[in-house]
Amino acid sequence: MDFLKYPQPLAELISSLSRLPGIGPKTAGRLAFYLLQQPQVSEDLAKAIVVANRDIRKCSICSNFTDHDPCAICKNMQRDLTALCVVEHPRDVVSLEKTGEFKGIYHVLHGVLSPMDGIGPEQLTINQLLRRLEGIKEVVMAMNPTVEGEATALYLARLLKPMGIKVSRIAHGLPVGGDLEYADEITIARALEGRRDL
């Protein structure tokens, strides 16, 4: 999209919106025009962004996003403090919490190892993770099933197993309602590996 045809402030708005994940130039243009036609929505959005940037920070214990430190999960003494689930991003904590199945605590890495992108252990919260393992009996790896996610899980497992901590991985496989005919070989293989008794 050629931003030069637009007045400079509008072109900059479109350019800024198109930097958001999943927003291309056309969608950014539509959003920009909508925001200009809805000044109250624009104002509310701008205020919400400013407040979130000001008030949201990383929990000093688990690195999840929070507006109170420590976060509600880390403060909750009803949680299983012997089980720790390691995730890539704060949104992953939300996804796992929605299931109501995991009763332990979390640690957010804020990414995965990716040497090609210059992301090593120092760029993630691995050191903080290693400092909070006292009393932990099991660490559950809940990384996405990508090459980088698998590499990160294996790297952490190599660090944790010599400490006598059980390291497990969430199962991967077919989604509920999925059809074998349309699943790729890797997904089917993972589903077979993760099978269990009925």
Short mmCIF file of all heavy atoms in Angstrom, two decimals, residues 68-131:
data_model
loop_
_atom_site.label_atom_id
_atom_site.label_comp_id
_atom_site.label_asym_id
_atom_site.label_seq_id
_atom_site.Cartn_x
_atom_site.Cartn_y
_atom_site.Cartn_z
N HIS A 68 -0.23 -6.35 39.61
CA HIS A 68 0.18 -6.40 41.02
C HIS A 68 1.33 -7.39 41.13
O HIS A 68 1.29 -8.45 40.51
CB HIS A 68 -0.97 -6.86 41.92
CG HIS A 68 -2.09 -5.87 42.00
ND1 HIS A 68 -3.16 -5.90 41.14
CD2 HIS A 68 -2.28 -4.81 42.81
CE1 HIS A 68 -3.98 -4.90 41.44
NE2 HIS A 68 -3.47 -4.23 42.44
N ASP A 69 2.33 -7.05 41.93
CA ASP A 69 3.49 -7.92 42.06
C ASP A 69 3.60 -8.41 43.50
O ASP A 69 3.63 -7.58 44.40
CB ASP A 69 4.75 -7.15 41.66
CG ASP A 69 5.96 -8.05 41.50
OD1 ASP A 69 5.76 -9.26 41.28
OD2 ASP A 69 7.09 -7.54 41.58
N PRO A 70 3.62 -9.73 43.74
CA PRO A 70 3.54 -10.80 42.76
C PRO A 70 2.13 -10.95 42.18
O PRO A 70 1.17 -10.43 42.73
CB PRO A 70 3.95 -12.03 43.55
CG PRO A 70 3.68 -11.71 44.97
CD PRO A 70 3.80 -10.22 45.10
N CYS A 71 2.05 -11.73 41.11
CA CYS A 71 0.76 -11.91 40.43
C CYS A 71 -0.19 -12.76 41.28
O CYS A 71 0.23 -13.38 42.27
CB CYS A 71 0.96 -12.54 39.06
SG CYS A 71 1.45 -14.28 39.11
N ALA A 72 -1.44 -12.81 40.87
CA ALA A 72 -2.47 -13.54 41.63
C ALA A 72 -2.15 -15.03 41.74
O ALA A 72 -2.41 -15.65 42.78
CB ALA A 72 -3.83 -13.33 40.97
N ILE A 73 -1.59 -15.62 40.71
CA ILE A 73 -1.28 -17.06 40.75
C ILE A 73 -0.15 -17.31 41.74
O ILE A 73 -0.22 -18.23 42.55
CB ILE A 73 -0.95 -17.59 39.35
CG1 ILE A 73 -2.20 -17.54 38.46
CG2 ILE A 73 -0.39 -19.01 39.42
CD1 ILE A 73 -1.97 -17.90 37.00
N CYS A 74 0.89 -16.50 41.70
CA CYS A 74 2.02 -16.70 42.61
C CYS A 74 1.63 -16.44 44.07
O CYS A 74 2.20 -17.05 44.98
CB CYS A 74 3.19 -15.79 42.22
SG CYS A 74 4.02 -16.34 40.70
N LYS A 75 0.66 -15.56 44.30
CA LYS A 75 0.20 -15.27 45.67
C LYS A 75 -0.75 -16.32 46.22
O LYS A 75 -0.96 -16.40 47.42
CB LYS A 75 -0.52 -13.91 45.71
CG LYS A 75 0.41 -12.74 45.76
CD LYS A 75 -0.31 -11.47 46.17
CE LYS A 75 -1.35 -11.05 45.18
NZ LYS A 75 -1.83 -9.69 45.37
N ASN A 76 -1.33 -17.14 45.34
CA ASN A 76 -2.36 -18.09 45.73
C ASN A 76 -1.74 -19.32 46.39
O ASN A 76 -1.18 -20.18 45.73
CB ASN A 76 -3.18 -18.50 44.49
CG ASN A 76 -4.34 -19.38 44.83
OD1 ASN A 76 -4.45 -19.92 45.93
ND2 ASN A 76 -5.22 -19.57 43.86
N MET A 77 -1.87 -19.42 47.70
CA MET A 77 -1.30 -20.54 48.44
C MET A 77 -2.10 -21.83 48.28
O MET A 77 -1.69 -22.88 48.76
CB MET A 77 -1.20 -20.19 49.93
CG MET A 77 -0.16 -19.13 50.22
SD MET A 77 1.50 -19.75 49.90
CE MET A 77 2.06 -18.69 48.60
N GLN A 78 -3.24 -21.77 47.57
CA GLN A 78 -4.03 -22.97 47.30
C GLN A 78 -3.48 -23.73 46.10
O GLN A 78 -3.88 -24.86 45.84
CB GLN A 78 -5.50 -22.59 47.03
CG GLN A 78 -6.16 -21.81 48.15
CD GLN A 78 -6.13 -22.57 49.48
OE1 GLN A 78 -6.52 -23.72 49.54
NE2 GLN A 78 -5.64 -21.91 50.52
N ARG A 79 -2.56 -23.13 45.36
CA ARG A 79 -1.97 -23.79 44.19
C ARG A 79 -1.01 -24.89 44.66
O ARG A 79 -0.49 -24.84 45.78
CB ARG A 79 -1.20 -22.78 43.33
CG ARG A 79 -1.93 -21.54 42.89
CD ARG A 79 -2.92 -21.71 41.82
NE ARG A 79 -2.45 -22.25 40.57
CZ ARG A 79 -3.11 -22.07 39.43
NH1 ARG A 79 -4.21 -21.33 39.39
NH2 ARG A 79 -2.69 -22.62 38.32
N ASP A 80 -0.75 -25.85 43.78
CA ASP A 80 0.23 -26.90 44.06
C ASP A 80 1.61 -26.30 43.81
O ASP A 80 2.02 -26.12 42.66
CB ASP A 80 -0.03 -28.10 43.14
CG ASP A 80 0.98 -29.21 43.34
OD1 ASP A 80 1.93 -29.05 44.15
OD2 ASP A 80 0.85 -30.25 42.67
N LEU A 81 2.33 -26.00 44.87
CA LEU A 81 3.62 -25.34 44.76
C LEU A 81 4.75 -26.30 44.41
O LEU A 81 5.91 -25.89 44.34
CB LEU A 81 3.94 -24.60 46.07
CG LEU A 81 2.90 -23.55 46.49
CD1 LEU A 81 3.30 -22.91 47.82
CD2 LEU A 81 2.70 -22.49 45.41
N THR A 82 4.42 -27.57 44.18
CA THR A 82 5.45 -28.54 43.78
C THR A 82 5.45 -28.80 42.28
O THR A 82 6.33 -29.48 41.77
CB THR A 82 5.26 -29.88 44.52
OG1 THR A 82 4.04 -30.48 44.08
CG2 THR A 82 5.26 -29.69 46.02
N ALA A 83 4.44 -28.27 41.58
CA ALA A 83 4.33 -28.46 40.12
C ALA A 83 4.45 -27.12 39.43
O ALA A 83 3.73 -26.18 39.74
CB ALA A 83 3.00 -29.12 39.77
N LEU A 84 5.38 -27.03 38.49
CA LEU A 84 5.63 -25.78 37.78
C LEU A 84 5.51 -26.01 36.28
O LEU A 84 6.13 -26.94 35.75
CB LEU A 84 7.03 -25.26 38.14
CG LEU A 84 7.38 -23.88 37.61
CD1 LEU A 84 8.16 -23.11 38.64
CD2 LEU A 84 8.19 -23.98 36.33
N CYS A 85 4.73 -25.22 35.61
CA CYS A 85 4.53 -25.33 34.17
C CYS A 85 5.28 -24.19 33.47
O CYS A 85 5.07 -23.01 33.78
CB CYS A 85 3.04 -25.25 33.84
SG CYS A 85 2.66 -25.47 32.10
N VAL A 86 6.16 -24.53 32.55
CA VAL A 86 6.95 -23.54 31.82
C VAL A 86 6.28 -23.29 30.47
O VAL A 86 6.00 -24.23 29.72
CB VAL A 86 8.40 -24.03 31.61
CG1 VAL A 86 9.21 -23.00 30.84
CG2 VAL A 86 9.05 -24.33 32.95
N VAL A 87 6.02 -22.01 30.17
CA VAL A 87 5.36 -21.63 28.92
C VAL A 87 6.20 -20.58 28.19
O VAL A 87 7.08 -19.94 28.78
CB VAL A 87 3.93 -21.09 29.16
CG1 VAL A 87 3.05 -22.15 29.80
CG2 VAL A 87 3.96 -19.83 30.00
N GLU A 88 5.88 -20.40 26.92
CA GLU A 88 6.61 -19.42 26.11
C GLU A 88 6.18 -17.98 26.42
O GLU A 88 7.02 -17.10 26.56
CB GLU A 88 6.38 -19.69 24.62
CG GLU A 88 6.99 -20.96 24.11
CD GLU A 88 6.71 -21.19 22.64
OE1 GLU A 88 6.49 -20.21 21.89
OE2 GLU A 88 6.73 -22.37 22.21
N HIS A 89 4.87 -17.74 26.46
CA HIS A 89 4.34 -16.38 26.52
C HIS A 89 3.24 -16.25 27.58
O HIS A 89 2.58 -17.25 27.90
CB HIS A 89 3.76 -15.97 25.16
CG HIS A 89 4.75 -16.08 24.05
ND1 HIS A 89 5.79 -15.20 23.89
CD2 HIS A 89 4.87 -16.98 23.04
CE1 HIS A 89 6.50 -15.54 22.83
NE2 HIS A 89 5.97 -16.63 22.29
N PRO A 90 2.99 -15.04 28.06
CA PRO A 90 1.91 -14.83 29.04
C PRO A 90 0.55 -15.33 28.54
O PRO A 90 -0.24 -15.85 29.32
CB PRO A 90 1.91 -13.31 29.25
CG PRO A 90 3.33 -12.91 29.00
CD PRO A 90 3.78 -13.81 27.87
N ARG A 91 0.28 -15.21 27.26
CA ARG A 91 -1.02 -15.66 26.74
C ARG A 91 -1.19 -17.17 26.90
O ARG A 91 -2.30 -17.68 26.96
CB ARG A 91 -1.20 -15.23 25.29
CG ARG A 91 -0.22 -15.84 24.32
CD ARG A 91 -0.45 -15.37 22.88
NE ARG A 91 0.59 -15.84 22.01
CZ ARG A 91 1.64 -15.14 21.62
NH1 ARG A 91 1.79 -13.90 22.02
NH2 ARG A 91 2.54 -15.66 20.81
N ASP A 92 -0.07 -17.90 27.00
CA ASP A 92 -0.15 -19.35 27.20
C ASP A 92 -0.67 -19.69 28.60
O ASP A 92 -1.36 -20.68 28.78
CB ASP A 92 1.22 -20.00 26.98
CG ASP A 92 1.76 -19.76 25.57
OD1 ASP A 92 0.95 -19.67 24.63
OD2 ASP A 92 2.99 -19.66 25.42
N VAL A 93 -0.33 -18.86 29.58
CA VAL A 93 -0.85 -19.06 30.94
C VAL A 93 -2.37 -18.95 30.91
O VAL A 93 -3.07 -19.77 31.49
CB VAL A 93 -0.25 -18.04 31.93
CG1 VAL A 93 -0.92 -18.13 33.30
CG2 VAL A 93 1.26 -18.23 32.07
N VAL A 94 -2.87 -17.94 30.21
CA VAL A 94 -4.32 -17.74 30.10
C VAL A 94 -4.97 -18.97 29.47
O VAL A 94 -5.98 -19.47 29.97
CB VAL A 94 -4.65 -16.46 29.29
CG1 VAL A 94 -6.14 -16.33 29.05
CG2 VAL A 94 -4.09 -15.23 29.99
N SER A 95 -4.39 -19.49 28.40
CA SER A 95 -4.95 -20.67 27.72
C SER A 95 -4.99 -21.87 28.65
O SER A 95 -6.00 -22.58 28.72
CB SER A 95 -4.12 -21.02 26.48
OG SER A 95 -4.18 -19.98 25.54
N LEU A 96 -3.92 -22.10 29.39
CA LEU A 96 -3.88 -23.25 30.31
C LEU A 96 -4.84 -23.05 31.48
O LEU A 96 -5.50 -24.00 31.91
CB LEU A 96 -2.46 -23.47 30.81
CG LEU A 96 -1.50 -24.04 29.76
CD1 LEU A 96 -0.05 -23.85 30.18
CD2 LEU A 96 -1.80 -25.50 29.50
N GLU A 97 -4.93 -21.84 32.00
CA GLU A 97 -5.83 -21.57 33.12
C GLU A 97 -7.29 -21.76 32.73
O GLU A 97 -8.10 -22.17 33.55
CB GLU A 97 -5.61 -20.16 33.67
CG GLU A 97 -4.40 -20.05 34.56
CD GLU A 97 -4.54 -20.87 35.83
OE1 GLU A 97 -5.33 -20.50 36.72
OE2 GLU A 97 -3.84 -21.90 35.94
N LYS A 98 -7.63 -21.47 31.49
CA LYS A 98 -9.02 -21.65 31.02
C LYS A 98 -9.47 -23.10 31.13
O LYS A 98 -10.65 -23.37 31.28
CB LYS A 98 -9.16 -21.17 29.57
CG LYS A 98 -9.24 -19.67 29.43
CD LYS A 98 -9.41 -19.29 27.96
CE LYS A 98 -9.44 -17.81 27.77
NZ LYS A 98 -9.51 -17.43 26.34
N THR A 99 -8.52 -24.04 31.02
CA THR A 99 -8.90 -25.46 31.10
C THR A 99 -9.27 -25.86 32.53
O THR A 99 -10.02 -26.80 32.72
CB THR A 99 -7.75 -26.38 30.63
OG1 THR A 99 -6.69 -26.35 31.59
CG2 THR A 99 -7.24 -25.99 29.26
N GLY A 100 -8.70 -25.18 33.52
CA GLY A 100 -8.94 -25.54 34.91
C GLY A 100 -8.25 -26.83 35.32
O GLY A 100 -8.49 -27.34 36.42
N GLU A 101 -7.40 -27.39 34.48
CA GLU A 101 -6.76 -28.68 34.74
C GLU A 101 -5.45 -28.58 35.51
O GLU A 101 -5.14 -29.45 36.29
CB GLU A 101 -6.50 -29.43 33.41
CG GLU A 101 -7.75 -29.87 32.70
CD GLU A 101 -8.55 -30.89 33.50
OE1 GLU A 101 -7.95 -31.82 34.07
OE2 GLU A 101 -9.78 -30.74 33.58
N PHE A 102 -4.67 -27.54 35.26
CA PHE A 102 -3.37 -27.42 35.92
C PHE A 102 -3.53 -26.61 37.19
O PHE A 102 -3.98 -25.46 37.17
CB PHE A 102 -2.33 -26.78 34.99
CG PHE A 102 -0.96 -26.74 35.58
CD1 PHE A 102 -0.23 -27.90 35.73
CD2 PHE A 102 -0.41 -25.54 36.00
CE1 PHE A 102 1.04 -27.87 36.29
CE2 PHE A 102 0.86 -25.50 36.56
CZ PHE A 102 1.59 -26.66 36.71
N LYS A 103 -3.13 -27.20 38.32
CA LYS A 103 -3.31 -26.55 39.62
C LYS A 103 -2.01 -26.01 40.20
O LYS A 103 -1.99 -25.50 41.31
CB LYS A 103 -3.91 -27.54 40.62
CG LYS A 103 -5.18 -28.23 40.14
CD LYS A 103 -6.30 -27.27 39.90
CE LYS A 103 -7.57 -28.03 39.51
NZ LYS A 103 -8.55 -27.21 38.86
N GLY A 104 -0.93 -26.14 39.45
CA GLY A 104 0.37 -25.70 39.94
C GLY A 104 0.64 -24.23 39.65
O GLY A 104 -0.28 -23.43 39.49
N ILE A 105 1.92 -23.91 39.58
CA ILE A 105 2.36 -22.54 39.31
C ILE A 105 3.04 -22.49 37.95
O ILE A 105 3.28 -23.54 37.35
CB ILE A 105 3.30 -22.03 40.44
CG1 ILE A 105 4.46 -23.00 40.65
CG2 ILE A 105 2.51 -21.82 41.73
CD1 ILE A 105 5.47 -22.57 41.72
N TYR A 106 3.34 -21.31 37.47
CA TYR A 106 3.85 -21.13 36.12
C TYR A 106 5.19 -20.40 36.11
O TYR A 106 5.56 -19.73 37.08
CB TYR A 106 2.87 -20.30 35.28
CG TYR A 106 1.56 -20.98 35.04
CD1 TYR A 106 0.48 -20.78 35.90
CD2 TYR A 106 1.38 -21.84 33.96
CE1 TYR A 106 -0.73 -21.40 35.68
CE2 TYR A 106 0.17 -22.47 33.74
CZ TYR A 106 -0.89 -22.24 34.61
OH TYR A 106 -2.09 -22.87 34.39
N HIS A 107 5.87 -20.53 34.97
CA HIS A 107 7.03 -19.69 34.68
C HIS A 107 6.97 -19.33 33.19
O HIS A 107 6.84 -20.22 32.34
CB HIS A 107 8.35 -20.38 34.99
CG HIS A 107 9.50 -19.45 34.87
ND1 HIS A 107 9.86 -18.59 35.88
CD2 HIS A 107 10.33 -19.19 33.83
CE1 HIS A 107 10.87 -17.85 35.47
NE2 HIS A 107 11.17 -18.19 34.23
N VAL A 108 7.05 -18.04 32.90
CA VAL A 108 6.95 -17.55 31.51
C VAL A 108 8.35 -17.21 31.01
O VAL A 108 9.04 -16.38 31.61
CB VAL A 108 6.03 -16.31 31.43
CG1 VAL A 108 5.92 -15.84 29.99
CG2 VAL A 108 4.65 -16.61 32.01
N LEU A 109 8.76 -17.85 29.92
CA LEU A 109 10.09 -17.61 29.35
C LEU A 109 10.17 -16.33 28.52
O LEU A 109 11.24 -15.80 28.31
CB LEU A 109 10.49 -18.80 28.46
CG LEU A 109 10.72 -20.14 29.16
CD1 LEU A 109 10.98 -21.22 28.13
CD2 LEU A 109 11.85 -20.05 30.16
N HIS A 110 9.05 -15.88 27.99
CA HIS A 110 9.00 -14.74 27.06
C HIS A 110 9.76 -15.03 25.77
O HIS A 110 10.51 -14.20 25.27
CB HIS A 110 9.49 -13.45 27.73
CG HIS A 110 8.52 -12.93 28.74
ND1 HIS A 110 7.47 -12.13 28.39
CD2 HIS A 110 8.44 -13.13 30.07
CE1 HIS A 110 6.77 -11.85 29.48
NE2 HIS A 110 7.33 -12.46 30.51
N GLY A 111 9.52 -16.23 25.25
CA GLY A 111 10.11 -16.62 23.97
C GLY A 111 10.65 -18.03 24.04
O GLY A 111 10.45 -18.76 25.02
N VAL A 112 11.38 -18.41 22.99
CA VAL A 112 12.03 -19.71 22.91
C VAL A 112 13.43 -19.51 22.35
O VAL A 112 13.73 -18.48 21.76
CB VAL A 112 11.24 -20.69 21.99
CG1 VAL A 112 9.98 -21.18 22.66
CG2 VAL A 112 10.95 -20.08 20.64
N LEU A 113 14.27 -20.51 22.57
CA LEU A 113 15.62 -20.45 22.02
C LEU A 113 15.55 -20.43 20.50
O LEU A 113 14.84 -21.23 19.89
CB LEU A 113 16.44 -21.66 22.49
CG LEU A 113 16.69 -21.76 23.99
CD1 LEU A 113 17.34 -23.09 24.32
CD2 LEU A 113 17.54 -20.60 24.48
N SER A 114 16.26 -19.51 19.90
CA SER A 114 16.29 -19.39 18.45
C SER A 114 17.60 -18.75 18.02
O SER A 114 17.68 -17.53 17.82
CB SER A 114 15.09 -18.56 17.96
OG SER A 114 15.10 -18.45 16.56
N PRO A 115 18.66 -19.56 17.93
CA PRO A 115 19.97 -19.01 17.58
C PRO A 115 19.97 -18.21 16.28
O PRO A 115 20.69 -17.22 16.15
CB PRO A 115 20.85 -20.25 17.45
CG PRO A 115 20.17 -21.30 18.26
CD PRO A 115 18.70 -21.00 18.16
N MET A 116 19.13 -18.62 15.32
CA MET A 116 19.06 -17.90 14.04
C MET A 116 18.58 -16.46 14.23
O MET A 116 18.91 -15.57 13.45
CB MET A 116 18.13 -18.63 13.06
CG MET A 116 18.58 -20.02 12.70
SD MET A 116 20.02 -20.03 11.65
CE MET A 116 19.30 -19.55 10.11
N ASP A 117 17.76 -16.24 15.28
CA ASP A 117 17.25 -14.91 15.58
C ASP A 117 18.04 -14.23 16.70
O ASP A 117 17.62 -13.20 17.22
CB ASP A 117 15.77 -14.99 15.97
CG ASP A 117 14.90 -15.51 14.83
OD1 ASP A 117 15.14 -15.10 13.68
OD2 ASP A 117 14.01 -16.34 15.09
N GLY A 118 19.13 -14.85 17.11
CA GLY A 118 19.96 -14.27 18.17
C GLY A 118 19.35 -14.40 19.55
O GLY A 118 19.68 -13.63 20.45
N ILE A 119 18.45 -15.38 19.75
CA ILE A 119 17.82 -15.57 21.06
C ILE A 119 18.43 -16.80 21.73
O ILE A 119 18.19 -17.93 21.32
CB ILE A 119 16.29 -15.72 20.94
CG1 ILE A 119 15.70 -14.47 20.29
CG2 ILE A 119 15.67 -15.96 22.32
CD1 ILE A 119 14.23 -14.58 19.95
N GLY A 120 19.24 -16.54 22.75
CA GLY A 120 19.86 -17.60 23.53
C GLY A 120 19.26 -17.62 24.93
O GLY A 120 18.34 -16.85 25.23
N PRO A 121 19.80 -18.45 25.80
CA PRO A 121 19.28 -18.54 27.17
C PRO A 121 19.28 -17.21 27.92
O PRO A 121 18.41 -16.96 28.74
CB PRO A 121 20.22 -19.54 27.84
CG PRO A 121 20.80 -20.34 26.73
CD PRO A 121 20.87 -19.42 25.55
N GLU A 122 20.24 -16.35 27.61
CA GLU A 122 20.34 -15.06 28.30
C GLU A 122 19.18 -14.12 27.97
O GLU A 122 18.86 -13.23 28.75
CB GLU A 122 21.66 -14.35 27.95
CG GLU A 122 22.91 -15.16 28.21
CD GLU A 122 23.18 -16.23 27.15
OE1 GLU A 122 22.79 -16.03 25.97
OE2 GLU A 122 23.77 -17.27 27.50
N GLN A 123 18.58 -14.28 26.80
CA GLN A 123 17.48 -13.41 26.39
C GLN A 123 16.14 -13.88 26.97
O GLN A 123 15.15 -13.16 26.89
CB GLN A 123 17.36 -13.33 24.86
CG GLN A 123 18.40 -12.46 24.20
CD GLN A 123 19.79 -13.07 24.21
OE1 GLN A 123 19.97 -14.25 23.94
NE2 GLN A 123 20.78 -12.26 24.57
N LEU A 124 16.11 -15.06 27.53
CA LEU A 124 14.88 -15.60 28.11
C LEU A 124 15.00 -15.54 29.64
O LEU A 124 16.02 -15.13 30.17
CB LEU A 124 14.67 -17.05 27.64
CG LEU A 124 14.65 -17.25 26.12
CD1 LEU A 124 14.52 -18.73 25.78
CD2 LEU A 124 13.52 -16.45 25.48
N THR A 125 13.97 -15.96 30.33
CA THR A 125 13.97 -15.90 31.81
C THR A 125 14.41 -17.24 32.41
O THR A 125 13.91 -17.66 33.46
CB THR A 125 12.59 -15.50 32.34
OG1 THR A 125 11.64 -16.50 31.94
CG2 THR A 125 12.15 -14.13 31.85
N ILE A 126 15.38 -17.90 31.78
CA ILE A 126 15.84 -19.21 32.24
C ILE A 126 16.57 -19.10 33.58
O ILE A 126 16.38 -19.95 34.46
CB ILE A 126 16.70 -19.88 31.15
CG1 ILE A 126 15.80 -20.24 29.95
CG2 ILE A 126 17.43 -21.11 31.69
CD1 ILE A 126 16.52 -20.77 28.74
N ASN A 127 17.39 -18.08 33.76
CA ASN A 127 18.09 -17.93 35.04
C ASN A 127 17.12 -17.75 36.20
O ASN A 127 17.31 -18.32 37.28
CB ASN A 127 19.08 -16.76 35.00
CG ASN A 127 20.31 -17.11 34.18
OD1 ASN A 127 20.70 -18.26 34.07
ND2 ASN A 127 20.92 -16.11 33.57
N GLN A 128 16.05 -16.97 35.98
CA GLN A 128 15.02 -16.80 37.02
C GLN A 128 14.35 -18.13 37.32
O GLN A 128 14.04 -18.43 38.47
CB GLN A 128 13.98 -15.76 36.60
CG GLN A 128 14.51 -14.35 36.47
CD GLN A 128 14.94 -14.01 35.05
OE1 GLN A 128 15.66 -14.76 34.40
NE2 GLN A 128 14.54 -12.85 34.57
N LEU A 129 14.10 -18.92 36.28
CA LEU A 129 13.50 -20.24 36.46
C LEU A 129 14.40 -21.11 37.34
O LEU A 129 13.92 -21.74 38.30
CB LEU A 129 13.28 -20.92 35.10
CG LEU A 129 12.89 -22.40 35.12
CD1 LEU A 129 11.53 -22.59 35.78
CD2 LEU A 129 12.90 -22.98 33.72
N LEU A 130 15.67 -21.15 37.05
CA LEU A 130 16.60 -22.01 37.80
C LEU A 130 16.70 -21.59 39.26
O LEU A 130 16.97 -22.43 40.12
CB LEU A 130 17.98 -21.99 37.14
CG LEU A 130 18.02 -22.57 35.71
CD1 LEU A 130 19.41 -22.41 35.11
CD2 LEU A 130 17.59 -24.03 35.70
N ARG A 131 16.46 -20.32 39.56
CA ARG A 131 16.55 -19.82 40.93
C ARG A 131 15.30 -20.15 41.76
O ARG A 131 15.32 -19.96 42.97
CB ARG A 131 16.78 -18.31 40.94
CG ARG A 131 18.19 -17.92 40.53
CD ARG A 131 18.48 -16.47 40.87
NE ARG A 131 17.64 -15.54 40.16
CZ ARG A 131 17.97 -14.92 39.04
NH1 ARG A 131 19.14 -15.13 38.48
NH2 ARG A 131 17.14 -14.08 38.47
#
